[in-house]
Amino acid sequence: MSVDESEAGTARETDRWPDIPGDTAFTIRIPEADPLVRAGFPAHVTVLYPFVHESRMDAPVHRELSGLFAGHDAFTLTFAAFGRYPGVLYLDPQPHAPVKALTADLTRRWPELVPYRGIFGSGLDPHLTVANHEGPATQDAAYDALQAELAPLLPLTCHVHAVQLIVWDGERWQDRVEYPLACDKACAPYLV
């Protein structure tokens, strides 16, 4: 999806991402990382792309999603290390387990959904794309320099209290709904 992944070689080789108007996805926004991102979209970690088409997002589906996400506790992600996919520099969110648990619950409930439409096999590990604009001939030098520039800004710790539903309108991804995670007194200061 263009919000997050022009990522691995397969997508880059076809020179297109298969987004279609009405595609939906779930992401975790990481505004604390926005100053580090050079990819042209807000900092985020993808939970599931694609989800069901927007035309199927009725009130019962929203109620079910609200319950599903409320069944997961808010959590904290730490970004302390970089990683790379072909053409992509990313931050590795730790721990992966809370993000993977969200994805697992969604795909258990909607088993017809295949992360990334199967382009990357069973999917990609959770990650936050920093840059995805370099090709094979320039990526090592460019991403080495960018990584050296950004490394002093790490680690970055972010509290996650909600998951965003976003929709592809044919030109860009639009926010639609924010689903809160379960919150105790410890996460109350993060809610605005």
Side-chain angles (χ1 to χ4, degrees):
M1 81 197 230
S2 53
V3 160
D4 185 71
E5 277 80 44
S6 330
E7 267 162 17
T10 306
R12 196 168 284 285
E13 287 167 15
T14 63
D15 232 10
R16 67 176 185 86
W17 192 263
D19 295 329
I20 57 171
D23 272 351
T24 62
F26 289 107
T27 65
I28 297 168
R29 288 290 168 81
I30 310 292
E32 299 88 339
D34 280 337
L36 285 69
V37 173
R38 307 296 193 268
F41 42 75
H44 69 280
V45 175
T46 299
V47 174
L48 181 62
Y49 163 81
F51 187 59
V52 300
H53 191 272
E54 183 179 31
S55 63
R56 292 178 50 201
M57 298 294 296
D58 58 12
V61 170
H62 285 292
R63 279 193 300 276
E64 190 169 357
L65 288 166
S66 292
L68 183 146
F69 289 118
H72 288 264
D73 291 333
F75 54 92
T76 298
L77 292 175
T78 300
F79 300 86
F82 292 93
R84 295 186 189 181
Y85 293 124
V88 176
L89 175 66
Y90 66 87
L91 289 170
D92 184 17
Q94 291 296 322
H96 286 186
V99 178
K100 287 184 170 188
L102 292 167
T103 305
D105 273 3
L106 287 164
T107 56
R108 193 171 14 262
R109 168 54 186 90
W110 286 273
E112 71 277 13
L113 300 177
V114 178
Y116 301 97
R117 291 192 171 99
I119 291 172
F120 306 112
S122 61
L124 299 171
D125 279 335
H127 62 281
L128 187 153
T129 299
V130 173
N132 62 355
H133 55 276
E134 296 294 332
T138 59
Q139 68 183 13
D140 288 340
Y143 292 160
D144 287 350
L146 183 55
Q147 191 170 322
E149 173 191 336
L150 299 177
L153 303 174
L154 301 180
L156 191 63
T157 300
C158 308
H159 189 75
V160 177
H161 60 86
V163 175
Q164 275 38 47
L165 173 70
I166 58 175
V167 178
W168 179 248
D169 68 7
E171 294 182 26
R172 63 188 181 121
W173 288 93
Q174 303 280 335
D175 290 338
R176 283 295 190 266
V177 180
E178 181 174 277
Y179 294 98
L181 301 174
C183 182
D184 60 16
K185 290 179 185 176
C187 75
Y190 296 101
L191 300 177
V192 186

